[in-house]
């Protein structure tokens, strides 16, 4: 099953995002071995060079590290993974607030909207 | 299987596989290619894109050594195009040149006799995956299936440079996916593939670089991700904008 990649953004960036997400969501546990470049390239239906570039970038940030002869591993530094999770969550919030602003909704109203939504969601679950 | 770290060392040498210098080709009064220069490194997949009649097929024939340039030069691994380069280039022309009366298995034998680097096992394996019966005569197969056979033959050589002129045009989308996967899984890290096609959106995710040619001249030669980053657009969209009629 090829990964869901858009053609209008650099592919290597989308690969980085996908692997980051897999790490945060626990698909890959800290210390897990990553498949080889070629295997990952096949999974994603992308060129091995593009996959290589994405993995090198992940290595540069420290999220992934290479052992000389045995391949690449996910970092065992759980603080780093937590920090990444926080950063990505903040990005999503920033994007969301941006959209709300475009709709002309004030920040305090956004908060009440969210509370109402969460409450409503709970009621829905109860009813079900 | 090579280790990734070993691959890095190989890649860092970045050997120039193909170099075209000031290439010009005239057919009588008509200029098909004019002063085209570019280089391709080993281990890359390059899309050769341009409208009809822009010179793609001419350029590919020149590199394959089937046409002579009016002026300029082509080097494959620093040697001029000739018998040596033909040994390491696997070329898929834009039309069939095989005898329709031959059975697929006979054509496989023929290729195995002709090319030292031909891998019959790989060819039979791909034929089986695409449900092509090797006992059938070529002319009894549909047009799309005949195209698949030719592409399989070309990709079953262990070449250094594959030149594929419109390899997917008549092939259904499901088989197209299989063929692209086959290309990705079979090509070795030091081989390069130059591929011309109009089906840009189908192949752009497997490309490293693109070359746009327009009216016989080189318009753009760049990394696909750099182009996407620059324009925030897909290569397909960029192509449509550049070549808008």
């Amino acid at each position: 099953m090829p990964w869901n990649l858009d053609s209008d953004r650099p592919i290597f960036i989308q690969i980085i995002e996908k692997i980051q997400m897999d790490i945060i969501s626990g698909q890959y546990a800290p210390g897990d071995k990553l498949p080889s470049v070629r295997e990952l390239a096949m999974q994603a239906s992308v060129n091995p060079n593009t996959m290589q570039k994405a993995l090198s970038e992940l290595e540069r940030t420290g999220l992934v590290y290479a052992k000389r002869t045995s391949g690449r591993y996910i970092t065992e530094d759980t603080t780093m993974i937590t920090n990444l999770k926080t950063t990505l969550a903040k990005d999503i919030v920033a994007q969301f607030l941006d959209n709300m602003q475009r709709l002309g909704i004030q920040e305090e109203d956004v908060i009440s909207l969210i509370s109402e939504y969460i409450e409503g969601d709970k009621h829905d679950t109860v009813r079900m | 299987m090579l280790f990734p770290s070993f691959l890095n060392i190989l890649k860092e040498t970045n050997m120039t596989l193909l170099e075209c210098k000031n290439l010009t080709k005239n057919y009588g009064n008509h200029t098909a290619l004019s002063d085209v220069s570019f280089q391709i490194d080993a281990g890359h997949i390059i899309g050769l894109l341009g409208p009809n009649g822009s010179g793609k097929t001419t350029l590919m024939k020149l590199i394959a050594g089937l046409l002579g340039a009016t002026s300029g030069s082509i080097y494959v691994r620093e040697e001029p195009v000739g018998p040596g380069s033909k040994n390491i280039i696997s070329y898929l022309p834009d039309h069939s040149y095989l005898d329709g009366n031959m059975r697929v298995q006979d054509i496989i034998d023929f290729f195995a006799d002709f090319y030292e680097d031909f891998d019959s096992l790989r060819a039979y394996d791909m034929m089986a995956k695409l449900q092509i019966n090797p006992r059938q005569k070529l002319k009894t197969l549909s047009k799309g299936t005949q195209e698949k056979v030719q592409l399989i033959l070309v990709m079953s050589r262990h070449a250094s440079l594959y030149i594929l002129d419109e390899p997917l045009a008549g092939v259904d989308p499901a088989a197209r996916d299989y063929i692209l996967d086959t290309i990705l899984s079979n090509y070795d890290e030091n081989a390069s593939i130059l591929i011309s096609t109009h089906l840009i959106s189908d192949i752009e995710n497997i490309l490293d670089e693109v070359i746009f040619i327009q009216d016989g001249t080189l318009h753009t030669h760049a990394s696909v991700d750099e182009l996407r980053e620059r324009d925030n657009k897909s290569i397909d969209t960029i192509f449509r904008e550049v070549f808008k009629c």
Side-chain angles (χ1 to χ4, degrees), chain A residues 7 11 38 47 49 52 68, chain B residues 8 43 185 187 208 225 228:
Chain A
S7 298
I11 302 292
R38 182 160 279 244
N47 185 309
N49 294 322
Q52 174 76 35
R68 190 166 277 272
Chain B
N8 278 338
S185 56
Y187 102 106
D208 286 298
D225 268 355
R228 290 189 187 110

Side-chain angles (χ1 to χ4, degrees), chain B residues 26 30 41 64 72 76 82 87 89 92 95 103-104 114 119 139 148 151 158 162 164 168 170 197 223 228 233:
Chain B
N26 297 329
H30 174 70
D41 289 337
V76 179
N87 265 333
I89 292 178
L92 177 77
H95 59 271
R103 292 179 197 282
V104 173
F114 211 82
D119 185 341
K139 68 177 179 191
K148 288 177 202 168
L151 183 60
H158 293 280
Y162 298 88
L164 312 178
L168 304 166
T197 185
S223 128
R228 290 189 187 110
K233 285 173 185 153

Side-chain angles (χ1 to χ4, degrees), chain A residues 5 7-13 36-38 41-42 45-50 52 68-69 72, chain B residues 3-5 8 11 43-45 181 184-185 187 189 204-206 208 225 228-229 232-234:
Chain A
L5 303 170
S7 298
D8 52 3
R9 288 198 306 134
I11 302 292
F12 82 97
I13 291 176
S36 70
V37 172
R38 182 160 279 244
M42 284 294 294
S45 287
V46 301
N47 185 309
N49 294 322
T50 310
Q52 174 76 35
R68 190 166 277 272
T69 51
R72 284 190 177 76
Chain B
F3 295 115
S5 51
N8 278 338
K11 288 236 174 71
H44 287 197
I45 303 179
D181 277 351
L184 278 179
S185 56
Y187 102 106
E189 279 84 354
E204 66 169 271
N205 284 5
I206 73 159
D208 286 298
D225 268 355
R228 290 189 187 110
E229 206 156 20
N232 283 317
K233 285 173 185 153
S234 69

Side-chain angles (χ1 to χ4, degrees), chain B residues 135-148:
Chain B
R135 302 187 54 80
Q136 258 184 289
K137 283 187 179 173
L138 195 64
K139 68 177 179 191
T140 65
L141 301 170
S142 73
K143 182 170 174 281
T145 307
Q146 290 188 29
E147 284 189 18
K148 288 177 202 168

Side-chain angles (χ1 to χ4, degrees), chain B:
Chain B
M1 187 65 205
L2 298 169
F3 295 115
S5 51
F6 185 49
L7 291 181
N8 278 338
I9 297 165
L10 288 178
K11 288 236 174 71
E12 273 159 23
T13 57
N14 252 353
M15 196 182 68
T16 302
L17 180 63
L18 170 69
E19 183 176 17
C20 294
K21 267 189 188 165
N22 311 106
L23 214 53
T24 295
K25 175 68 185 175
N26 297 329
Y27 297 111
N29 290 331
H30 174 70
T31 302
L33 281 180
S34 170
D35 199 27
V36 170
S37 299
F38 65 91
Q39 284 187 14
I40 288 176
D41 289 337
H44 287 197
I45 303 179
I46 303 103
L48 178 63
L49 312 177
N52 300 121
S54 54
K56 299 185 296 291
T57 296
T58 298
L59 177 60
M60 291 181 137
K61 283 185 174 168
L62 286 169
I63 299 167
L66 299 179
L67 283 177
T70 307
S71 64
S73 40
I74 306 173
Y75 298 94
V76 179
R77 286 218 182 119
E78 295 174 354
E79 298 283 334
V81 166
S85 70
K86 287 185 185 178
N87 265 333
I88 58 170
I89 292 178
S90 189
Y91 168 63
L92 177 77
D94 61 345
H95 59 271
S96 178
Y97 56 95
L98 298 168
D99 179 354
N101 286 312
M102 285 175 88
R103 292 179 197 282
V104 173
Q105 61 194 25
D106 299 333
I107 303 173
I108 292 178
D109 288 345
F110 181 60
F111 264 66
D113 277 347
F114 211 82
Y115 297 109
E116 266 179 33
D117 60 1
F118 189 78
D119 185 341
S120 300
L121 276 178
R122 185 194 274 187
Y124 277 114
D125 186 46
M126 286 195 262
M127 299 282 177
K129 287 229 174 70
L130 288 172
Q131 290 162 338
I132 298 168
N133 178 359
R135 302 187 54 80
Q136 258 184 289
K137 283 187 179 173
L138 195 64
K139 68 177 179 191
T140 65
L141 301 170
S142 73
K143 182 170 174 281
T145 307
Q146 290 188 29
E147 284 189 18
K148 288 177 202 168
V149 169
Q150 287 187 64
L151 183 60
I152 289 171
L153 293 167
V154 166
M155 291 312 294
S156 295
R157 285 184 57 194
H158 293 280
S160 298
L161 177 60
Y162 298 88
I163 296 181
L164 312 178
D165 196 353
E166 288 279 348
L168 304 166
V171 172
D172 66 85
R176 222 174 271 162
D177 284 348
Y178 171 75
I179 287 167
L180 289 176
D181 277 351
T182 312
I183 290 176
L184 278 179
S185 56
N186 282 331
Y187 102 106
D188 101 79
E189 279 84 354
N190 293 306
S192 287
I193 304 175
L194 183 66
I195 178 169
S196 85
T197 185
H198 295 299
L199 299 163
I200 304 172
S201 57
D202 279 340
I203 69 150
E204 66 169 271
N205 284 5
I206 73 159
L207 299 178
D208 286 298
E209 299 168 20
V210 280
I211 293 174
F212 282 176
I213 56 172
Q214 185 171 34
D215 300 329
T217 60
L218 189 98
H219 179 282
T220 305
H221 179 197
S223 128
V224 286
D225 268 355
E226 275 167 26
L227 287 180
R228 290 189 187 110
E229 206 156 20
R230 190 193 70 188
D231 294 357
N232 283 317
K233 285 173 185 153
S234 69
I235 304 303
D236 187 68
T237 308
I238 296 171
F239 180 91
R240 285 168 204 260
E241 287 175 2
V242 168
F243 297 110
K244 199 168 195 306
C245 297

